[in-house]
Amino acid sequence: MDPKSTAVVLIEYQNDFTTEGGTLHAAVKPVMEQTNMLANTVETVKQARAAGATIVYAPITFTEDYHELSSSPYGILKGVVDSKSFRKGSWGAEIIEILKPEAGDIVVEGKRGLCGFATTNLDFILRSRGISTIALGGFLTNCCVESTMRTGYEKGYDVITLTDCTAALSEEEQRLAVEKNYPMFSKPMKHGDFLAALAGA
């Protein structure tokens, strides 16, 4: 695996998910602890960046009144609105401190829904940089990570899902996504295996 054509795409590592006091943190905390996803992601980013891979952040943000969305949202986005999550300029929408972007990293703007490609210029950025392999981590395992995975697969990227760098709302959802859905649209890997491949081991 060539680091120069590889990007690690970090989906919604924002305080509302990642941090005590975040609006949605309690919902994902058990699976975060089970997978050790934060520590695994920090290690992945540090080593991948050092190896020369591109680090891309894909946060989700909304205006204070969520006027980008339907006036009667349903499903997962209704939960975001009801919990007042990911409001632009709020602490909850900020990327967690231990994964703050560094010089040379890319923060994708405009994510308003589930797929990291849908309302952003992620595809343009990746292709402009000659990226052919994307490794995904973040929240939720079976929602935004999975949506981005499926689109990346259909767009022809070599998609890797970092199974121990993800978290869902329950252990059952985590397991089913990783075991059943991820192998259909990606190459599921533990972060250590990904880093070894990136290092040519």
Side-chain angles (χ1 to χ4, degrees):
M1 191 183 303
D2 183 359
K4 290 184 178 59
S5 60
T6 301
V8 177
V9 180
L10 304 170
I11 299 168
E12 295 172 20
Y13 283 84
Q14 293 158 270
N15 287 324
D16 275 337
F17 269 141
T18 57
T19 311
E20 289 291 343
T23 54
L24 302 172
H25 180 65
V28 295
K29 184 178 179 179
V31 178
M32 285 181 68
E33 292 177 346
Q34 176 206 346
T35 61
N36 199 34
M37 62 96 72
L38 266 187
N40 294 340
T41 302
V42 170
E43 181 184 8
T44 300
V45 169
K46 182 178 179 182
Q47 292 193 32
R49 188 188 281 128
T54 299
I55 308 299
V56 180
Y57 293 80
I60 188 169
T61 57
F62 299 98
T63 52
E64 188 80 19
D65 60 0
Y66 298 95
H67 69 254
E68 304 94 335
L69 299 176
S70 158
S71 58
S72 53
Y74 64 96
I76 191 74
L77 290 174
K78 184 178 189 306
V80 169
V81 174
D82 288 349
S83 61
K84 296 187 168 17
S85 300
F86 307 120
R87 289 175 296 174
K88 195 171 184 66
S90 71
W91 170 83
E94 292 177 7
I95 294 167
I96 186 173
E97 191 65 36
I98 58 170
L99 280 168
K100 283 292 186 196
E102 295 187 3
D105 296 346
I106 295 168
V107 180
V108 171
E109 301 283 344
K111 187 174 185 298
R112 301 285 186 267
L114 311 185
C115 173
F117 289 97
T119 57
T120 73
N121 61 348
L122 177 59
D123 188 51
F124 176 82
I125 289 169
L126 296 175
R127 295 192 191 282
S128 295
R129 296 176 66 89
I131 301 296
S132 56
T133 300
I134 55 174
L136 309 177
F139 302 89
L140 294 166
T141 310
N142 57 338
C143 185
C144 293
V145 179
E146 185 167 319
S147 293
T148 306
M149 168 193 73
R150 289 170 181 254
T151 301
Y153 179 85
E154 293 192 274
K155 287 183 177 291
Y157 290 97
D158 192 8
V159 183
I160 294 164
T161 40
L162 301 170
T163 58
D164 58 352
C165 294
T166 61
L169 297 173
S170 70
E171 292 185 17
E172 181 183 29
E173 290 170 274
Q174 178 77 15
R175 180 179 60 79
L176 288 173
V178 167
E179 290 181 5
K180 303 297 184 184
N181 295 351
Y182 278 18
M184 294 176 68
F185 309 102
S186 73
K187 299 170 183 173
M189 287 188 188
K190 299 275 192 186
H191 81 287
D193 296 330
F194 167 69
L195 290 173
L198 202 60

